[in-house]
Amino acid sequence: MNKYSHLKKDFEQLKAEVRELPGAAAYLDGPEVAVGQMILARQLEMGYTQQQLADLADVPLEDIKVIQAGLVHSNFGCDIQPDSLSKIFKALKIIGVQPIIDEQAATSMLG
């Protein structure tokens, strides 16, 4: 166990508590957050900082931040350039998206 193990536990607890807030689970399970997480994971896999990704994709750094935070929904009032997502996908060599379906989560969202 490393010296930061307790932080992961604390973070997991915080996420569980946040999910209990009205509307939080729907937001966290939404497509905006899923896309942002996918982009962040691929960025880290390729070893890029946010700034490096922004430069490579030729998009504003703010667009990277907004997308990775899952704030692209109109309710948040954060606008990104219309072609930023496609430029980011191209820079990260993401040529397709294949969702992983979590039947239990999907069922609980409907019910």
Side-chain angles (χ1 to χ4, degrees):
M1 184 149 98
N2 71 38
K3 66 180 181 176
Y4 300 111
S5 298
H6 69 285
L7 295 177
K8 180 174 171 114
K9 182 180 175 188
D10 292 345
F11 181 66
E12 294 302 322
Q13 179 63 34
L14 177 63
K15 286 194 316 186
E17 290 173 12
V18 167
R19 291 187 80 74
E20 299 301 318
L21 296 173
Y27 162 71
L28 293 171
D29 295 334
E32 295 89 355
V33 172
V35 168
Q37 289 176 344
M38 177 186 64
I39 289 171
L40 175 60
R42 181 67 173 154
Q43 169 201 321
L44 295 174
E45 180 182 307
M46 296 183 79
Y48 298 140
T49 65
Q50 285 181 322
Q51 184 63 61
Q52 289 170 324
L53 176 56
D55 293 343
L56 183 65
D58 192 29
V59 301
L61 176 60
E62 191 61 29
D63 284 8
I64 301 289
K65 292 178 180 182
V66 165
I67 291 167
Q68 288 182 344
L71 299 176
V72 293
H73 193 279
S74 60
N75 289 347
F76 294 110
C78 298
D79 293 324
I80 62 168
Q81 299 296 316
D83 59 348
S84 285
L85 270 177
S86 61
K87 287 181 172 183
I88 293 167
F89 274 46
K90 185 175 180 179
L92 293 174
K93 298 176 176 45
I94 298 172
I95 57 172
V97 178
Q98 185 161 2
I100 297 172
I101 306 300
D102 181 337
E103 294 292 338
Q104 183 178 6
T107 302
S108 69
M109 287 173 60
L110 297 174

